[in-house]
Amino acid sequence: MDTRTSPARLRLEPLRAAMSANGIDAVLLPSSDPHLSEYLPAHWQGRRWFSGFTGSMATLVVLAERAALFADSRYWVQADSELTGSGIELVKISTGASSAHVDWLVAHLATGQTVATDGAVLGLAAALQLGDALGAAGLHLKTDADPLADAWAERPALPAAKVYEHRAPHAPLARRAKLAQVRAAMAERGASHHLISTLDDLAWLLNLRGADVNYNPVFLAHALLSMSGVLLFVGAGKVDASLAETLAADGVALRPYDDARAALAALPAGSRLLIDPRRVTLGLREAVPQAVKVVEAINPSTLAKSRKSASEAAFIREAMAHDGAAMCAFYAWFEQALGREPITELTIDERLSAERAKQPGYVSLSFPVIAGFNANGAMPHYRATQASHAVISHASGVAADGLLLIDSGAQYLGGTTDITRVWPIGTPTAEMKRDYTLVLKGTIALSRARFPRGTPSPMLDAIARAPLWAQSLDYGHGTGHGVGYFLNVHEGPQSISKVVATPEMAMEPGMVTSIEPGLYRPGRHGVRIENLVMNVAAPDDEFGEFLQFETLTLCPIDTRCIERSLLDATEARWLDTYHATVRERLSPLVSGAARAWLEERTQALMPRG
């Protein structure tokens, strides 16, 4: 590529011109929006536009003469490729929560220089950390303007998709009941008002859904709750008259999307405003008058929605069964077509998505399908494109021996799914089988865990890593993330990872979490085996209340890649029991080739008797 005409280089030119015109020495572009979302509407994809890096998480810093992108290990291979010719340096960080970009700014700027970022998309906790570090280095932080406003002529408009109700029976708890639940928590904190900006919290609380963010059924809005009503700040025309009337009956009044700051500024003196510092931006926090007492605590809705009710759990199990049936239909076709038809990573995306779309209650995918063959599977967040993808099969045979990793999921009216499986193509090597088995041992070990109720979720991370650590192996991402109920595929507060635990990460009944250890060998192959699990009660004894995991995901785990000498009898029995459950639950939902494939792939490892 001619680096003088790289798209990213060209796009940075107007940004640098705007920086120069406004006396700005550095611009910080996080992967964020005013709701601190993981997946962003195109309007706030500035980091992606100016860097050319398409991964979902990273931070871009632009100076007059240099620029750097900060990305964690999930994206290193992808970023190396996509930044080629851009003049942007890749800085490899340990986790997405790293503050390495702050240290980089301090190291590359001189005392008195100015860093600009948009306070409207900067999380309050991150803003405090950034401001303290820059201030200590004698640098100025400017947060009262959008650096992209004068530099991104092609910037997309805000999304305009309609908001709709998530109705019973799939929404078992009524809107009024949820509002009463949150107001009770407000009262416990002594709060008269409560600001909610995170989109999953809003969607859950109001039993509403939308399509403003790809793969997440949410809509752009803020809400300001009092003890008697709700102001919902949402785009004009997004809520039709009938739904507006229904909301009004529950005390929810509509206001223009851009009026949230003004409403906060108008709070009466003596009010007590509950905000979650991890789930609100600096821009909104700065709008609160000094005469208003701010109470900082986790959003009550974040905790409430993480604990699925018995009714929600029943719908989740139903969604998992339909999702598993779609997987069976896809894999039956795939194995029959392998070596007989042309198949690429893109084909897998198309065929698997089409099978899911046939299932009852299906709404959309829950994230882009990740289908990575051999070296591509070593990139945890890889996405095949028309310009770059691997061929798996020709009409005359497989393209190469190896491993195919498929990470996929869907949104159903009764739940959100996320599953990763790895399949052998041709004959896997001894190294591939060893890696696969060690990862499987980690999945099984954590799936079988029992732990006291209230255990901080990060404490469980080492259980899944232990089989890999025993061989001096590891993976760079977390082991498990929380999953919403027909909401975001990544939701907290629980996280099974190496993060520092906080009190709200305590494991409670009804939480749904992924278990997905992995192992990646760049340029060769990747392995990740993922199921979703739910916290359920374990038998109590004199030491108190314990929890264990119910495995929710229903799809065979391939046994052809297992190195049997590494799998002990108890692990093999766990897998056999799981496969028996998968076969029992899915058999009524599949027929023909899919049924035959299910029977074949759930055969027991251990002799019966």
Side-chain angles (χ1 to χ4, degrees):
M1 177 185 291
D2 183 351
T3 58
R4 292 171 299 176
T5 58
S6 164
R9 281 182 181 260
L10 295 175
R11 290 170 182 174
L12 286 173
E13 290 177 3
L15 179 59
R16 286 180 165 135
M19 291 165 56
S20 177
N22 291 284
I24 294 170
D25 302 292
V27 163
L28 172 65
L29 298 179
S31 300
S32 185
D33 67 6
H35 311 278
L36 304 181
S37 306
E38 177 181 9
Y39 296 103
L40 310 180
H43 182 78
W44 286 292
Q45 290 275 14
R47 185 270 303 158
R48 177 173 182 168
W49 173 260
F50 286 103
S51 70
F53 171 65
T54 61
S56 61
M57 290 183 65
T59 299
L60 175 65
V61 176
V62 181
L63 278 60
E65 301 295 334
R66 66 189 306 171
L69 183 91
F70 299 79
D72 65 56
S73 62
R74 295 171 295 172
Y75 303 104
W76 290 348
V77 176
Q78 177 184 351
D80 268 329
S81 174
E82 293 182 341
L83 294 179
T84 300
S86 68
I88 300 172
E89 170 192 359
L90 171 63
V91 179
K92 298 179 178 180
I93 59 177
S94 56
T95 71
S98 169
S99 59
H101 59 281
V102 181
D103 298 332
W104 193 92
L105 280 165
V106 170
H108 290 87
L109 293 176
T111 300
Q113 289 191 299
T114 298
V115 178
T117 190
D118 185 2
V121 304
L122 189 63
L124 180 57
L128 295 174
Q129 179 188 44
L130 178 64
D132 288 346
L134 296 184
L139 300 170
H140 303 298
L141 177 62
K142 179 180 176 61
T143 62
D144 58 355
D146 181 357
L148 306 180
D150 299 325
W152 190 3
E154 304 88 347
R155 189 174 191 176
L158 292 177
K162 291 286 188 180
V163 176
Y164 60 94
E165 278 202 275
H166 188 214
R167 301 177 183 273
H170 294 105
L173 191 60
R175 183 183 302 113
R176 289 191 181 191
K178 290 181 176 180
L179 287 169
Q181 187 176 348
V182 169
R183 287 185 174 120
M186 290 168 58
E188 290 178 3
R189 297 281 183 178
S192 60
H193 295 78
H194 175 34
L195 172 67
I196 302 177
S197 285
T198 36
L199 304 184
D200 50 332
D201 283 295
L202 277 173
W204 177 86
L205 177 62
L206 299 177
N207 282 348
L208 299 176
R209 297 295 189 268
D212 285 348
V213 180
N214 289 340
Y215 312 108
N216 298 333
V218 295
F219 58 97
L220 300 183
H222 304 278
L224 183 60
L225 279 67
S226 69
M227 288 300 181
S228 59
V230 180
L231 296 180
L232 180 63
F233 304 95
V234 64
K238 294 176 67 65
V239 179
D240 64 30
S242 176
L243 179 53
E245 184 177 346
T246 299
L247 291 170
D250 287 337
V252 181
L254 304 184
R255 295 291 185 271
Y257 177 72
D258 292 330
D259 284 2
R261 281 180 58 91
L264 288 171
L267 284 172
S271 300
R272 293 175 60 87
L273 177 67
L274 172 62
I275 62 170
D276 186 338
R278 295 177 179 271
R279 294 172 176 83
V280 70
T281 64
L282 174 67
L284 289 173
R285 174 63 181 86
E286 289 181 333
V288 180
Q290 289 188 351
V292 172
K293 169 67 175 177
V294 172
V295 180
E296 293 190 351
I298 189 172
N299 287 341
S301 51
T302 300
L303 292 173
K305 70 182 173 60
S306 71
R307 302 167 186 172
K308 280 60 174 179
S309 68
S311 296
E312 289 171 332
F315 283 118
I316 291 171
R317 294 184 187 102
E318 184 179 303
M320 293 291 173
H322 288 299
D323 203 61
M327 302 286 282
C328 289
F330 164 76
Y331 284 119
W333 165 82
F334 176 76
E335 291 195 6
Q336 183 276 328
L338 192 63
R340 298 182 177 89
E341 298 180 25
I343 303 174
T344 71
E345 292 167 338
L346 294 175
T347 314
I348 291 169
D349 188 338
E350 295 165 3
R351 294 293 296 244
L352 180 53
S353 299
E355 289 297 341
R356 281 196 165 103
K358 297 175 185 177
Q359 296 299 317
Y362 172 86
V363 176
S364 72
L365 299 182
S366 55
F367 57 94
V369 173
I370 300 170
F373 183 44
N374 280 343
N376 292 339
M379 295 181 277
H381 279 218
Y382 169 76
R383 179 80 195 275
T385 66
Q386 289 289 346
S388 178
H389 60 267
V391 175
I392 298 162
S393 168
H394 303 289
S396 57
V398 298
D401 291 344
L403 297 179
L404 172 64
L405 183 153
I406 304 177
D407 188 352
S408 63
Q411 299 284 4
Y412 298 90
L413 291 174
T416 301
T417 70
D418 183 1
I419 173 176
T420 308
R421 292 292 185 263
V422 174
W423 308 96
I425 306 299
T427 304
T429 65
E431 179 187 60
M432 291 174 180
K433 295 180 72 172
R434 175 174 173 269
D435 289 351
Y436 181 92
T437 308
L438 291 173
V439 171
L440 176 59
K441 287 170 72 72
T443 302
I444 294 173
L446 186 49
S447 299
R448 296 166 58 194
R450 183 174 292 184
F451 46 92
R453 179 177 179 175
T455 296
S457 53
M459 288 183 64
L460 304 176
D461 182 74
I463 298 174
R465 295 181 191 270
L468 292 162
W469 285 351
Q471 304 297 323
S472 299
L473 302 169
D474 200 7
Y475 49 95
H477 55 76
T479 297
H481 56 83
V483 179
Y485 177 68
F486 181 37
L487 276 173
N488 297 349
V489 74
H490 294 162
E491 282 189 14
Q494 77 274 27
S495 172
I496 302 177
S497 63
K498 295 180 180 179
V499 301
V500 177
T502 56
E504 61 266 20
M505 292 180 179
M507 294 294 263
E508 295 290 341
M511 287 181 165
V512 174
T513 313
S514 68
I515 293 179
E516 48 181 312
L519 184 59
Y520 309 95
R521 298 191 184 274
R524 289 142 70 185
H525 62 264
V527 177
R528 187 167 62 255
I529 301 172
E530 176 188 18
N531 285 334
L532 299 189
V533 297
M534 182 167 60
N535 296 353
V536 297
D540 295 346
D541 62 19
E542 61 184 300
F543 293 100
E545 188 175 356
F546 276 68
L547 300 175
Q548 59 191 10
F549 290 126
E550 173 192 343
T551 298
L552 298 168
T553 302
L554 298 170
C555 182
I557 295 172
D558 192 84
T559 58
R560 295 167 294 176
C561 289
I562 294 175
E563 172 51 61
R564 288 298 305 275
S565 65
L566 297 176
L567 203 68
D568 67 32
T570 60
E571 293 165 331
R573 289 193 187 96
W574 182 93
L575 189 58
D576 284 350
T577 300
Y578 172 70
H579 278 155
T581 300
V582 170
R583 186 167 57 251
E584 177 184 359
R585 295 280 305 282
L586 298 188
S587 290
L589 302 177
V590 295
S591 60
R595 177 73 173 268
W597 181 87
L598 174 65
E599 293 284 345
E600 176 66 21
R601 292 286 162 250
T602 55
Q603 292 298 307
L605 290 174
M606 300 289 287
R608 292 185 174 90

